[in-house]
Amino acid sequence: MHAYCLEYLAPLLKPGAKCLDIGCGSGIFCSYLSAACGSDSTVVGVDHIPELVTMSKDNCEKDCPDALASQRVQLYLADGRKGFAAEAPYDWYKDVQRCLAMWAL
């Protein structure tokens, strides 16, 4: 799924982009987005499951510690069903539930 999303979003992955990953799960996609958009981007990941937010932080600490330390990647425990206004505005967002529903058709 991550590879497909990155390929689909490639035209939007521009330097300096501010991205929202709703349902960030393991955090791996946040790490990929940070690398794809560059050092002046911001990636905000939200998930409503505390263990997944912890896993996200652990994975980003391993994969992109500089992005996490500089807050280019920010991870939050939150219900993202209505977005995440605290860090808005965003250039674009990915909502894992909508992606999964679309692929199930």
Side-chain angles (χ1 to χ4, degrees):
M1 179 173 103
H2 292 144
Y4 177 80
C5 283
L6 286 171
E7 182 179 335
Y8 181 79
L9 294 170
L12 303 173
L13 302 178
K14 300 184 187 297
K18 188 167 187 184
C19 317
L20 173 61
D21 184 3
I22 299 172
C24 64
S26 69
I28 298 299
F29 194 67
C30 290
S31 176
Y32 294 161
L33 288 175
S34 178
C37 292
S39 62
D40 57 346
S41 64
T42 303
V43 178
V44 177
V46 297
D47 208 296
H48 71 282
I49 300 172
E51 294 83 5
L52 289 178
V53 175
T54 299
M55 180 190 298
S56 295
K57 290 178 181 176
D58 291 344
N59 285 334
C60 286
E61 187 63 44
K62 293 174 192 169
D63 195 46
C64 59
D66 57 320
L68 198 58
S70 67
Q71 296 193 336
R72 286 191 344 252
V73 173
Q74 302 170 22
L75 301 164
Y76 295 94
L77 176 63
D79 184 347
R81 287 180 284 189
K82 293 183 180 179
F84 189 68
E87 294 294 331
Y90 304 98
D91 294 308
W92 59 268
Y93 73 96
K94 178 207 61 120
D95 181 341
V96 71
Q97 291 302 320
R98 290 184 185 160
C99 289
L100 293 173
M102 179 180 68
W103 288 329
L105 299 176

